[in-house]
Amino acid sequence: MKLKPSNRQTVKSMLFIVLLLTALAPLYPRTYHVCQDGNGDYRTISLAVYTAQDGDTVIVHPGTYYENISFSDKDIVITSLYGIESYDRRYIKETIIDGNRNGTVVTSGRFAEAILSGFTITNGYDLRYGGVYVHSLSTLTIEYCIIEYNHSPHLAGGIMSGGHIILIGNIVRYNTGGRFGGLFASSATTFCNDEPNSFYLNYGSYAADLTLNGTGQPVLVFDTMTVRDSPDTFFFSVPPENVPPGFQVIINNAKMELVSADLHVSPDGCDSNSGLSPEEPMQRIATALMRIRPDRAERRTIHLAEGIYSPSLNDQWFPVGIRDFVDIKGDNKETTILSGDDDYTLLSPIPSSHNPAVENVFTIKNLTLTNAYNAAGYPHIAFGAMNISRKENFTLENIIITNNITEASSRFIHFQNCDNITLKNIDINNNWIGKGNSRLFNVVGMWNADVMYGENIRIHNNHSPRVGSRTNFSGVPLNPQSHHITLANFELTNNSSSGEQFYEYGMQLNVRANVRFVNATVAGNRIDNALNPAAFAIDNYSIRYVLSVYNSIFYDNGSDYQVLLWRRPSQEGPDIINVNHSLIENGKDAIFSYLNVQFILNWGEGNIDADPLFIGDNDQGLPPYSLSEDSPARGAGTLDIPDFEFPEYDLAGNPRIVDGKIDMGAYQYHKPTTSIEDEERDGVTERLRDGEFKLRNFPNPVTYLHSDRQAGQTRSSTGTTISFEAPESGEVVIEIYNVKGQFVRRVFDAYITKGEYNVFWDGKDERGRYVATGFYMYNLHFNDE
């Protein structure tokens, strides 16, 4: 039978329609079920997302899914049964995406508009993003989720958003980040005020709960936050200039009230303690930072008992984010130790605006910083022991920074856009400072003149595998006559750089600010594989700089050059170098312009080119690079330095000026004696004196013995045992004096026979009072001699 033409045409039309419907079928939204028991379409969320297309929905049934999921640039919905079956909140708690500490838990697509609904997001761990990361140019709606216990050592713990994020009815809690705890949003963020979100008990060194780059919403409503009101931006940070007029934040509930008192922390403490006394200490430094209420009118202090504070030993959260008007003081710089477990930056105070009227915003004191590690940093710079940004008027005192590591392009100790920094008694030693464009000690972008004063600074025995690693000082001088940085009793010794890259310069000091060295010792540094190595360099960026050197020693740095000028000439005139009363190896010839850039050298009085005759470390207990008795640097310094007040002590703790004279270098010559350093200087410096009595003292450093309660406070006391041998019978008197020769206490007075004796001094004077800060000496008199 033959078909009529009309019928054949009908068949063709039907065939065309069927093919068209077949082609269009995948464009309709589909729903995929994920069940761990195998009763759904897939057992894993990731496989369902891989299959899904734009517009599809992935419904996840209860269970714990150990996955790290990505929306993969798809406009899809991933939801639990919470919004599907009667909004039962049990589905949120029972449907868990666990990152298993193996990366960010949830990542949005780069260009997608997606929805994440009704999950618990937990256990994410990534160097930069812990729980959720939202790419730029994408939009992610997060609704009815619990985001908790996620961590990032360097950036954001809970949520990091570079795109548009919409938040509806979420709980974000217990997340920790190197900078931001709960949420950091650099782009648009929309909060649902009808179903408000909660952010509480998160921790980050910059901000604990929320950090927004801005918002267009005139009112933000939150169900629960850590606190209702805070005197600073520690919990909730948003730039005032990036909010609409009349901006208002409404918080319905709070988890804690801030404490208007000093707080105490101990490695053996407990975070449920009040922290109001040494007998009731908290355990985490971060907990004390969260609970304390800063007060500009009445400074607060967080007291750290001796011991090791680390993530592995007592669950510390690093880095420590210092709050304005809150000091952190350890018990003893030798025994109060912050250890990063080879994984964390240790100190990273919260950035803040200028406080020009405040004399000192915070003080960090009496600590050892060790085992810090930073592999990558963010975005490309690895910050090591500390990263201090946009702070001014602060003090670091009695700090040891040792055995830390950074990799990649490093800023080991970094001050960014800081002003009026005071550094006292800082010892930076035995650190390994990464590859790339590295800085051991970096000060950049200072705001005003006279930005840093350093006293008794040691930088020694540090190493980098890359040429160009150096100590860096840079800034924008406002006045050629104003010294932005003054370093007194400064030692830069035995640091080294070596590596495969062949730079046209290699330097230990990279100076881009007006700098003054007073009694500096720069010696024994080595820079391999560099065309023109030098002890330090002026790194000129078309701005006129002034370098002034007084009473200093530059010697044995593996180069003919001690000062190297390089890069382009200044547009404001030639650089100026002033050298006075200093020992410079190779004299004027040690100051070299690599590109023949013009500069002015003011070679003042009292300069010498000679062997300084360093003693080094020896049986007398003197520090390396001490001066010998015959050193030409003895008494060769000048006391006539404009606008400068000499420190009372040299780098070893000896009187800086003796008999009206001052030596060159960081160390003042003294005949070997025995002196005792009190509790404030955290140790004892032992100088054995030759003689038949064989005087010595122990322990070294001084140990802590007991606590005396005075005026309701507990104060640890120091003590040392003075030992001697009596060669014969006779009367022995031992007396303690301060460095001014004033009598402090008689600790021994007796007629004794030949033999060995031990005398204990508890650090108190004749009236039973603890002595003041300083060095003390003891004298032994035998038979009134």
PDB file of all heavy atoms in Angstrom, residues 415-433:
ATOM      1  N   PHE A 415      56.235  45.403  59.773  1.00  0.00           N
ATOM      2  CA  PHE A 415      55.465  46.556  60.205  1.00  0.00           C
ATOM      3  C   PHE A 415      55.002  47.297  58.946  1.00  0.00           C
ATOM      4  O   PHE A 415      55.827  47.873  58.235  1.00  0.00           O
ATOM      5  CB  PHE A 415      56.298  47.497  61.077  1.00  0.00           C
ATOM      6  CG  PHE A 415      56.834  46.860  62.325  1.00  0.00           C
ATOM      7  CD1 PHE A 415      58.189  46.860  62.596  1.00  0.00           C
ATOM      8  CD2 PHE A 415      55.980  46.255  63.220  1.00  0.00           C
ATOM      9  CE1 PHE A 415      58.685  46.278  63.749  1.00  0.00           C
ATOM     10  CE2 PHE A 415      56.472  45.666  64.373  1.00  0.00           C
ATOM     11  CZ  PHE A 415      57.828  45.683  64.636  1.00  0.00           C
ATOM     12  N   GLN A 416      53.715  47.253  58.658  1.00  0.00           N
ATOM     13  CA  GLN A 416      53.165  47.858  57.444  1.00  0.00           C
ATOM     14  C   GLN A 416      52.351  49.085  57.813  1.00  0.00           C
ATOM     15  O   GLN A 416      51.385  49.000  58.563  1.00  0.00           O
ATOM     16  CB  GLN A 416      52.271  46.852  56.714  1.00  0.00           C
ATOM     17  CG  GLN A 416      51.581  47.408  55.478  1.00  0.00           C
ATOM     18  CD  GLN A 416      52.521  47.500  54.298  1.00  0.00           C
ATOM     19  OE1 GLN A 416      53.330  46.601  54.064  1.00  0.00           O
ATOM     20  NE2 GLN A 416      52.425  48.572  53.548  1.00  0.00           N
ATOM     21  N   ASN A 417      52.746  50.240  57.274  1.00  0.00           N
ATOM     22  CA  ASN A 417      52.029  51.487  57.554  1.00  0.00           C
ATOM     23  C   ASN A 417      51.890  51.727  59.046  1.00  0.00           C
ATOM     24  O   ASN A 417      50.800  51.994  59.564  1.00  0.00           O
ATOM     25  CB  ASN A 417      50.652  51.479  56.884  1.00  0.00           C
ATOM     26  CG  ASN A 417      50.741  51.601  55.384  1.00  0.00           C
ATOM     27  OD1 ASN A 417      51.730  52.099  54.853  1.00  0.00           O
ATOM     28  ND2 ASN A 417      49.723  51.134  54.687  1.00  0.00           N
ATOM     29  N   CYS A 418      53.005  51.611  59.742  1.00  0.00           N
ATOM     30  CA  CYS A 418      53.014  51.827  61.185  1.00  0.00           C
ATOM     31  C   CYS A 418      53.789  53.106  61.512  1.00  0.00           C
ATOM     32  O   CYS A 418      54.594  53.580  60.725  1.00  0.00           O
ATOM     33  CB  CYS A 418      53.644  50.638  61.908  1.00  0.00           C
ATOM     34  SG  CYS A 418      52.677  49.124  61.809  1.00  0.00           S
ATOM     35  N   ASP A 419      53.560  53.613  62.697  1.00  0.00           N
ATOM     36  CA  ASP A 419      54.196  54.864  63.094  1.00  0.00           C
ATOM     37  C   ASP A 419      54.450  54.846  64.594  1.00  0.00           C
ATOM     38  O   ASP A 419      53.702  54.234  65.360  1.00  0.00           O
ATOM     39  CB  ASP A 419      53.295  56.042  62.715  1.00  0.00           C
ATOM     40  CG  ASP A 419      53.963  57.384  62.953  1.00  0.00           C
ATOM     41  OD1 ASP A 419      55.200  57.431  62.943  1.00  0.00           O
ATOM     42  OD2 ASP A 419      53.243  58.375  63.141  1.00  0.00           O
ATOM     43  N   ASN A 420      55.513  55.548  64.992  1.00  0.00           N
ATOM     44  CA  ASN A 420      55.860  55.682  66.401  1.00  0.00           C
ATOM     45  C   ASN A 420      55.966  54.319  67.092  1.00  0.00           C
ATOM     46  O   ASN A 420      55.236  53.998  68.027  1.00  0.00           O
ATOM     47  CB  ASN A 420      54.860  56.578  67.129  1.00  0.00           C
ATOM     48  CG  ASN A 420      54.987  58.028  66.693  1.00  0.00           C
ATOM     49  OD1 ASN A 420      56.051  58.469  66.271  1.00  0.00           O
ATOM     50  ND2 ASN A 420      53.904  58.767  66.779  1.00  0.00           N
ATOM     51  N   ILE A 421      56.880  53.527  66.592  1.00  0.00           N
ATOM     52  CA  ILE A 421      57.157  52.205  67.139  1.00  0.00           C
ATOM     53  C   ILE A 421      58.311  52.323  68.126  1.00  0.00           C
ATOM     54  O   ILE A 421      59.317  52.965  67.834  1.00  0.00           O
ATOM     55  CB  ILE A 421      57.539  51.219  66.027  1.00  0.00           C
ATOM     56  CG1 ILE A 421      56.507  51.233  64.901  1.00  0.00           C
ATOM     57  CG2 ILE A 421      57.734  49.819  66.570  1.00  0.00           C
ATOM     58  CD1 ILE A 421      56.976  50.531  63.639  1.00  0.00           C
ATOM     59  N   THR A 422      58.173  51.681  69.269  1.00  0.00           N
ATOM     60  CA  THR A 422      59.270  51.603  70.237  1.00  0.00           C
ATOM     61  C   THR A 422      59.642  50.145  70.440  1.00  0.00           C
ATOM     62  O   THR A 422      58.786  49.320  70.785  1.00  0.00           O
ATOM     63  CB  THR A 422      58.868  52.229  71.588  1.00  0.00           C
ATOM     64  OG1 THR A 422      58.524  53.604  71.388  1.00  0.00           O
ATOM     65  CG2 THR A 422      60.024  52.144  72.579  1.00  0.00           C
ATOM     66  N   LEU A 423      60.913  49.831  70.204  1.00  0.00           N
ATOM     67  CA  LEU A 423      61.415  48.473  70.384  1.00  0.00           C
ATOM     68  C   LEU A 423      62.522  48.509  71.427  1.00  0.00           C
ATOM     69  O   LEU A 423      63.475  49.283  71.303  1.00  0.00           O
ATOM     70  CB  LEU A 423      61.961  47.915  69.070  1.00  0.00           C
ATOM     71  CG  LEU A 423      61.034  47.939  67.855  1.00  0.00           C
ATOM     72  CD1 LEU A 423      61.765  47.430  66.625  1.00  0.00           C
ATOM     73  CD2 LEU A 423      59.795  47.097  68.111  1.00  0.00           C
ATOM     74  N   LYS A 424      62.422  47.662  72.432  1.00  0.00           N
ATOM     75  CA  LYS A 424      63.445  47.598  73.472  1.00  0.00           C
ATOM     76  C   LYS A 424      63.747  46.140  73.799  1.00  0.00           C
ATOM     77  O   LYS A 424      62.841  45.342  74.023  1.00  0.00           O
ATOM     78  CB  LYS A 424      62.988  48.325  74.743  1.00  0.00           C
ATOM     79  CG  LYS A 424      62.904  49.837  74.593  1.00  0.00           C
ATOM     80  CD  LYS A 424      62.625  50.503  75.936  1.00  0.00           C
ATOM     81  CE  LYS A 424      62.640  52.016  75.804  1.00  0.00           C
ATOM     82  NZ  LYS A 424      62.396  52.682  77.106  1.00  0.00           N
ATOM     83  N   ASN A 425      65.041  45.843  73.829  1.00  0.00           N
ATOM     84  CA  ASN A 425      65.495  44.510  74.236  1.00  0.00           C
ATOM     85  C   ASN A 425      64.869  43.420  73.371  1.00  0.00           C
ATOM     86  O   ASN A 425      64.139  42.555  73.844  1.00  0.00           O
ATOM     87  CB  ASN A 425      65.186  44.251  75.719  1.00  0.00           C
ATOM     88  CG  ASN A 425      65.730  45.326  76.627  1.00  0.00           C
ATOM     89  OD1 ASN A 425      66.801  45.882  76.377  1.00  0.00           O
ATOM     90  ND2 ASN A 425      65.004  45.643  77.679  1.00  0.00           N
ATOM     91  N   ILE A 426      65.152  43.483  72.077  1.00  0.00           N
ATOM     92  CA  ILE A 426      64.626  42.523  71.108  1.00  0.00           C
ATOM     93  C   ILE A 426      65.782  41.676  70.592  1.00  0.00           C
ATOM     94  O   ILE A 426      66.786  42.214  70.119  1.00  0.00           O
ATOM     95  CB  ILE A 426      63.935  43.231  69.925  1.00  0.00           C
ATOM     96  CG1 ILE A 426      62.925  44.271  70.426  1.00  0.00           C
ATOM     97  CG2 ILE A 426      63.276  42.217  69.014  1.00  0.00           C
ATOM     98  CD1 ILE A 426      61.769  43.712  71.191  1.00  0.00           C
ATOM     99  N   ASP A 427      65.640  40.360  70.683  1.00  0.00           N
ATOM    100  CA  ASP A 427      66.681  39.430  70.242  1.00  0.00           C
ATOM    101  C   ASP A 427      66.102  38.530  69.155  1.00  0.00           C
ATOM    102  O   ASP A 427      65.203  37.725  69.410  1.00  0.00           O
ATOM    103  CB  ASP A 427      67.156  38.590  71.419  1.00  0.00           C
ATOM    104  CG  ASP A 427      68.427  37.803  71.100  1.00  0.00           C
ATOM    105  OD1 ASP A 427      68.582  37.364  69.942  1.00  0.00           O
ATOM    106  OD2 ASP A 427      69.263  37.620  72.001  1.00  0.00           O
ATOM    107  N   ILE A 428      66.609  38.695  67.927  1.00  0.00           N
ATOM    108  CA  ILE A 428      66.121  37.940  66.776  1.00  0.00           C
ATOM    109  C   ILE A 428      67.245  37.025  66.324  1.00  0.00           C
ATOM    110  O   ILE A 428      68.268  37.494  65.804  1.00  0.00           O
ATOM    111  CB  ILE A 428      65.707  38.893  65.637  1.00  0.00           C
ATOM    112  CG1 ILE A 428      64.676  39.912  66.144  1.00  0.00           C
ATOM    113  CG2 ILE A 428      65.162  38.118  64.451  1.00  0.00           C
ATOM    114  CD1 ILE A 428      64.449  41.068  65.206  1.00  0.00           C
ATOM    115  N   ASN A 429      67.093  35.729  66.519  1.00  0.00           N
ATOM    116  CA  ASN A 429      68.217  34.836  66.258  1.00  0.00           C
ATOM    117  C   ASN A 429      67.777  33.476  65.733  1.00  0.00           C
ATOM    118  O   ASN A 429      66.687  33.002  66.016  1.00  0.00           O
ATOM    119  CB  ASN A 429      69.050  34.648  67.539  1.00  0.00           C
ATOM    120  CG  ASN A 429      68.321  33.860  68.604  1.00  0.00           C
ATOM    121  OD1 ASN A 429      68.312  32.636  68.599  1.00  0.00           O
ATOM    122  ND2 ASN A 429      67.698  34.563  69.540  1.00  0.00           N
ATOM    123  N   ASN A 430      68.646  32.885  64.912  1.00  0.00           N
ATOM    124  CA  ASN A 430      68.498  31.505  64.451  1.00  0.00           C
ATOM    125  C   ASN A 430      67.154  31.253  63.753  1.00  0.00           C
ATOM    126  O   ASN A 430      66.494  30.249  63.984  1.00  0.00           O
ATOM    127  CB  ASN A 430      68.684  30.531  65.614  1.00  0.00           C
ATOM    128  CG  ASN A 430      70.090  30.558  66.159  1.00  0.00           C
ATOM    129  OD1 ASN A 430      71.053  30.227  65.471  1.00  0.00           O
ATOM    130  ND2 ASN A 430      70.234  31.002  67.402  1.00  0.00           N
ATOM    131  N   ASN A 431      66.783  32.190  62.893  1.00  0.00           N
ATOM    132  CA  ASN A 431      65.584  32.028  62.084  1.00  0.00           C
ATOM    133  C   ASN A 431      65.973  31.749  60.637  1.00  0.00           C
ATOM    134  O   ASN A 431      67.043  32.134  60.175  1.00  0.00           O
ATOM    135  CB  ASN A 431      64.718  33.286  62.164  1.00  0.00           C
ATOM    136  CG  ASN A 431      64.302  33.603  63.584  1.00  0.00           C
ATOM    137  OD1 ASN A 431      63.444  32.945  64.153  1.00  0.00           O
ATOM    138  ND2 ASN A 431      64.907  34.627  64.175  1.00  0.00           N
ATOM    139  N   TRP A 432      65.076  31.061  59.930  1.00  0.00           N
ATOM    140  CA  TRP A 432      65.293  30.709  58.517  1.00  0.00           C
ATOM    141  C   TRP A 432      64.279  31.495  57.709  1.00  0.00           C
ATOM    142  O   TRP A 432      63.081  31.295  57.830  1.00  0.00           O
ATOM    143  CB  TRP A 432      65.107  29.215  58.338  1.00  0.00           C
ATOM    144  CG  TRP A 432      65.589  28.646  57.040  1.00  0.00           C
ATOM    145  CD1 TRP A 432      66.817  28.097  56.801  1.00  0.00           C
ATOM    146  CD2 TRP A 432      64.857  28.530  55.823  1.00  0.00           C
ATOM    147  NE1 TRP A 432      66.885  27.655  55.500  1.00  0.00           N
ATOM    148  CE2 TRP A 432      65.701  27.907  54.872  1.00  0.00           C
ATOM    149  CE3 TRP A 432      63.574  28.899  55.424  1.00  0.00           C
ATOM    150  CZ2 TRP A 432      65.304  27.645  53.571  1.00  0.00           C
ATOM    151  CZ3 TRP A 432      63.173  28.648  54.124  1.00  0.00           C
ATOM    152  CH2 TRP A 432      64.036  28.020  53.219  1.00  0.00           C
ATOM    153  N   ILE A 433      64.774  32.403  56.894  1.00  0.00           N
ATOM    154  CA  ILE A 433      63.911  33.375  56.234  1.00  0.00           C
ATOM    155  C   ILE A 433      63.847  33.079  54.759  1.00  0.00           C
ATOM    156  O   ILE A 433      64.770  33.357  54.015  1.00  0.00           O
ATOM    157  CB  ILE A 433      64.401  34.817  56.458  1.00  0.00           C
ATOM    158  CG1 ILE A 433      64.557  35.107  57.945  1.00  0.00           C
ATOM    159  CG2 ILE A 433      63.423  35.810  55.847  1.00  0.00           C
ATOM    160  CD1 ILE A 433      65.960  34.930  58.437  1.00  0.00           C
TER     161      ILE A 433
END
